[in-house]
Each structure stands twice: as structure tokens, then as C-alpha cells.
Amino acid sequence: MIISQAALQAIRLLNEGGYEAYLVGGCVRDDMLGILPHDYDICTAALPEEMQQVFHAFRTVETGLKHGTLTVLVDSEPLEITTYRLDGEYLDKRHPKEVTFTRNLENDLSRRDFTVNAMAFHPDLGLVDLFGGREDCKRKTIRCVGNAATRFTEDALRILRAFRFAARFRFDIEENTARAIFDKQHLLKNISAERIASEMNGLLQAEGAADILRTFREVFFTAMPALQMPDEAWHRALQVLSCCEKKLPLLWSALLHPLGAEQAKTVLQTLKMPNALQEDVYALLAHLHLPLSPEKMQYALMVMGKERIFLLLSLQQALHSAEHSGRETETAARYGMLQQKTEALLASGACYTLSSLAVKGNDLAALGIQGKKIGETLHKLLEKVVLGEAENDREQLLLLVRNMK
Ligand code: ATP
Ligand code: MG
């Protein structure tokens, strides 16, 4: 296994202090799948105070210490080091009532969610794989550690975690685990909106998201009732999702597009998604079918603004690809050309906002226009300019205004 120097050093220091320590969880799994781990988590028999002693000479962050986690900065690499734990009874189906520390690695591995996440590795002692995680990596399988129904009853968030891992690695969900997911789906009602939101964001960005959303549709509808839509609409949503660039505003727009802008916003509000995301999705769906062509890009820029226009181009491309499968090259060429056209308009300083219009409010006031009329007239002028019906030229625009009166 490829292990960062910082993680090796932390394990060595713990061992020299007389404590067992292993790499654990995601990093062991990722390495086995040939993926470079994004971080290294360590589990150890050392109790929190003992870890603090071992790492007294290092910068540490103690926010998770009550739960046994100390973050240690080794060569400016943050390592999460956690005391072996037994999780207590699950009170609210999410938070263990208490954290009990243990000196026994097996206990710590048994509380972990899936076999592929429950392996530990020591640079000298090698792999500790008590539940067949390596076999499941080979078989491309997500399987609960222990009895699946029990594990989902303890913590229903694991249902969504199973989806996210299966989609990310394109693994299947093992039969008993899948059956338990259907049986225990109602427990997702106890999971907080924020947790569902964060797992959903992870899922949507994963390669195999559409397959999981297709297979476990009813589970998603249970977790997010506002998401419910007829079969045909769901099918269409997933087709667009599969063609979509992996950006959250686009992925959510693709998934929610059959619901329309208002209902889509409700879904995201219920999930307490950030306002910026809610508004992007709302704007994209409200203008989903805004005509985009070389002649109309300046108008589209006015409607969408200089960031959202590129999102809309990408979303329309996904819609188009989903509708005309097999013609992706043509579609990509068309939308590539529109994107270039838009970039050229922006680079040339083309007018698409009131602030870049050659005529200002006080020019109109000087002509005797007053109150609300000023704003309305400015908008009319801007529209003429972006539609190519007038030049963005002060004299010409003022002449137009005089003729309007
Ligand atoms: P990622 O690459 O997404 O970070 P990860 O496997 O590191 O994947 P984390 O959410 O960071 O996932 O959790 C670290 C480890 O903690 C997991 O590998 C798993 O062993 C354990 N774990 C996390 N959440 C749960 C849970 N809800 N129930 C049981 N074990 C969990
Ligand atoms: Mg992790």
C-alpha cells in the first residue's frame, strides 16, 4: 500500500509509545481499488489523553476529542487519529448515545458500516480484513458489516452512504443489504435534512448515480417526498442526469427538471441547500428552454447573466444529448460553438446589462421621463440592443426614445 510519510510517522510514534495503530477505512479501500486516497485516517488503541501525549510536540486540533478524534498536523498534512470505539445504542437513529473507547481493533472494525470500509492496514503487519472487505472489493460489492437490517436500524444514514459508495465505485449492493434498504427505508424520515443533502450531493456527482437512482427510486421518494414524480418523468430526469457535467447546479436541475422551477426549489429548500444553489437551479429551470443560437446569445446573456449562461448552455446540451442519443458529437459541436460565441461577446465588452447601456436614467430624466417609466424605458432600450435592433450608441438610443414618446 502507498502510504504518505506523515501517516507512516504518526503510526510509528504511536507504536513507539506502546499503542497499536492502523490505517483504516476509506484510505485502505481506495488503495485496494487503485485510487490514490484523499486522506489517511488512523485508528489506535491509545486513549485521547494518550494520543495528546504522543503528539505533544505537534500542532493538533481537538474539536473531535470527546468522540476520540484528534487531528494532528504532520508536515502540514492533517491526519485524523481516532481511538478504537464501540458505538453505543443509537438514540435518534443517527447519533450514538455514548462513545465507548476500547483497546480492541476488532470491536472498532465491527462498528463500521460496510465490509469495504472496515479494513485496517499496518505498514509492517499488513492487512486486517475480518469481514471479507478485500473479496467484496474484487466482487465490486457493497455489503453491510453484520446484519444489514440491524445496521440500518442503528443508523439509517448508512442507506444513503451505501448508495453513494455504490455509485462512486460502480459497485452492486449485495442482495441482503439491498433487501434491508427497502425494508428499513422509512427510517430515513429520522435523518436530518442536512445529512440527506450532503449524501445526495455526493451521490449525484458519482459516475453511477443514475443506475442507483433508478434501482432505488422509491427509497429516494421516501427520503425526499417532494421529489416524487411519475415513472416516465423520473426516467427522463435520469437520462439527462447521465449526460450532465458534474456540477451541482446542473445535476440538481437535471434531476428536478420534470417538476418545474417552483417545485424544484421546494425540494432544495426542504433539504436546506445553500441559497446560491437554490437560486441557480430556479433560474436554470425557469429558462430551461430559452432559445440559444448565435444571434440570440446576447439576449440570453441579458436574461441569465454571465455565469448562469454557461450553466444553461451545459444543461441544454445535456437535454439535447439525452433526446438525441448517438449524436453526441454533433451536439457537442453545436454547444461548443455557442459557448465560444458567448465568450467572444463577453471579451468584446458587448452590452447585456443596464450598467453597460450607453444611455442612463438621468439622460431620460432630462427628456422629461419620470418615475417608473425611466426603468421601463431603459429595459426596452437594452432589449433592443441585445436583440440587435439598435446600436448601443447614446445619440441613436436617445433618438429612439424621442420617437417612442
Ligand atoms: P470518503 O472517501 O467518502 O471520505 P470514507 O470511507 O473515508 O470515504 P467517511 O465518511 O470519511 O468515509 O468515514 C470514514 C470511515 O468511518 C468509513 O470508512 C467507515 O469505516 C466509518 N463510518 C463513517 N460513517 C459511518 C456510519 N454512519 N456508520 C458506520 N461507519 C461509518
Ligand atoms: Mg473519509
Side-chain angles (χ1 to χ4, degrees):
M1 177 172 178
I2 304 163
I3 307 169
S4 76
Q5 283 305 315
L8 277 175
Q9 192 186 345
I11 290 173
R12 199 173 332 111
L13 285 170
L14 283 161
N15 289 166
E16 283 166 5
Y19 307 108
E20 279 185 20
Y22 290 84
L23 293 166
V24 72
C27 63
V28 182
R29 173 202 66 216
D30 286 354
D31 183 82
M32 202 168 268
L33 296 173
I35 301 167
L36 190 68
H38 56 79
D39 52 22
Y40 291 91
D41 293 338
I42 293 169
C43 62
T44 179
L47 294 171
E49 317 82 80
E50 296 167 339
M51 291 196 277
Q52 282 177 303
Q53 270 169 19
V54 171
F55 295 104
H56 69 271
F58 290 78
R59 264 186 60 201
T60 58
V61 185
E62 298 177 8
T63 38
L65 210 58
K66 265 209 316 247
H67 298 98
T69 301
L70 183 68
T71 304
V72 181
L73 281 131
V74 182
D75 304 334
S76 67
E77 180 180 328
L79 296 168
E80 279 204 353
I81 309 184
T82 306
T83 306
Y84 295 160
R85 278 168 23 187
L86 298 167
D87 283 343
E89 225 178 288
Y90 285 75
L91 253 195
D92 59 358
K93 305 283 184 282
R94 173 63 205 139
H95 294 105
K97 190 165 59 182
E98 65 211 13
V99 179
T100 318
F101 299 127
T102 157
R103 298 281 188 185
N104 180 332
L105 174 64
E106 179 171 352
N107 287 336
D108 184 79
L109 295 179
S110 321
R111 72 166 172 94
R112 293 174 183 271
D113 47 9
F114 307 112
T115 60
V116 295
N117 287 351
M119 292 181 284
F121 184 87
H122 188 279
D124 304 324
L125 306 172
L127 184 70
V128 181
D129 176 18
L130 307 174
F131 310 104
R134 177 159 50 183
E135 210 31 53
D136 283 338
C137 275
K138 277 198 207 132
R139 273 194 226 127
K140 295 176 163 284
T141 299
I142 297 295
R143 179 199 313 268
C144 281
V145 172
N147 180 281
T150 311
R151 303 314 306 282
F152 293 132
T153 308
E154 286 169 357
D155 180 3
L157 185 73
R158 290 174 185 153
I159 293 176
L160 300 182
R161 288 175 56 85
F163 292 160
R164 175 163 61 85
F165 291 120
R168 190 195 308 168
F169 304 123
R170 289 196 159 275
F171 279 21
D172 285 329
I173 297 181
E174 176 271 334
E175 209 181 303
N176 287 310
T177 301
R179 193 172 321 119
I181 287 177
F182 283 113
D183 288 348
K184 298 295 175 185
Q185 56 178 297
H186 59 279
L187 298 175
L188 283 166
K189 298 197 172 105
N190 303 323
I191 301 296
S192 75
E194 291 85 347
R195 299 247 173 204
I196 295 180
S198 131
E199 290 300 329
M200 282 301 295
N201 284 342
L203 172 71
L204 290 178
Q205 293 176 83
E207 216 39 61
D211 289 341
I212 290 289
L213 287 158
R214 190 171 295 118
T215 310
F216 293 95
R217 182 186 59 163
E218 67 173 274
V219 182
F220 290 97
F221 290 173
T222 303
M224 295 163 284
L227 185 62
Q228 276 182 66
M229 59 181 92
D231 280 9
E232 214 275 318
W234 188 244
H235 177 72
R236 215 161 5 102
L238 298 187
Q239 273 184 324
V240 179
L241 183 74
S242 306
C243 298
C244 217
E245 231 185 301
K246 305 268 177 274
K247 291 183 180 165
L248 286 177
L250 297 175
L251 295 163
W252 277 109
S253 296
L255 184 69
L256 301 177
H257 86 270
L259 298 174
E262 293 294 337
Q263 177 73 6
K265 191 152 186 208
T266 305
V267 173
L268 298 177
Q269 257 164 0
T270 320
L271 291 176
K272 302 192 180 147
M273 287 289 186
N275 279 332
L277 180 68
Q278 289 186 29
E279 269 145 37
D280 279 345
V281 170
Y282 186 84
L284 287 166
L285 294 186
H287 300 103
L288 189 57
H289 299 293
L290 186 71
L292 301 180
S293 66
E295 307 73 43
K296 290 184 174 149
M297 283 323 293
Q298 199 169 343
Y299 179 82
L301 250 174
M302 176 190 76
V303 175
M304 299 303 292
K306 71 170 188 284
E307 266 113 41
R308 284 185 185 146
I309 188 65
F310 292 105
L311 292 175
L312 185 64
L313 276 166
S314 187
L315 184 59
Q316 286 202 5
Q317 177 172 348
L319 279 169
H320 202 269
S321 303
E323 244 169 72
H324 306 91
S325 67
R327 285 168 47 192
E328 283 77 9
T329 339
E330 244 172 88
T331 305
R334 176 181 155 74
Y335 285 91
M337 177 271 289
L338 291 175
Q339 190 177 326
Q340 279 175 15
K341 168 79 190 172
T342 311
E343 280 159 0
L345 281 169
L346 287 170
S348 71
C351 165
Y352 64 95
T353 59
L354 284 185
S355 60
S356 52
L357 196 66
V359 160
K360 305 286 173 216
N362 51 3
D363 295 319
L364 300 187
L367 292 179
I369 301 176
Q370 290 173 342
K372 253 179 38 191
K373 260 307 209 190
I374 294 188
E376 284 170 20
T377 311
L378 286 173
H379 274 106
K380 264 189 214 155
L381 292 177
L382 177 61
E383 209 167 298
K384 286 194 180 298
V385 169
V386 295
L387 289 171
E389 292 168 11
E391 294 268 315
N392 188 25
D393 173 275
R394 190 160 177 276
E395 294 313 315
Q396 279 195 37
L397 290 175
L398 289 177
L399 190 65
L400 258 176
V401 175
R402 285 196 198 92
N403 293 337
M404 274 180 195
K405 284 210 289 183

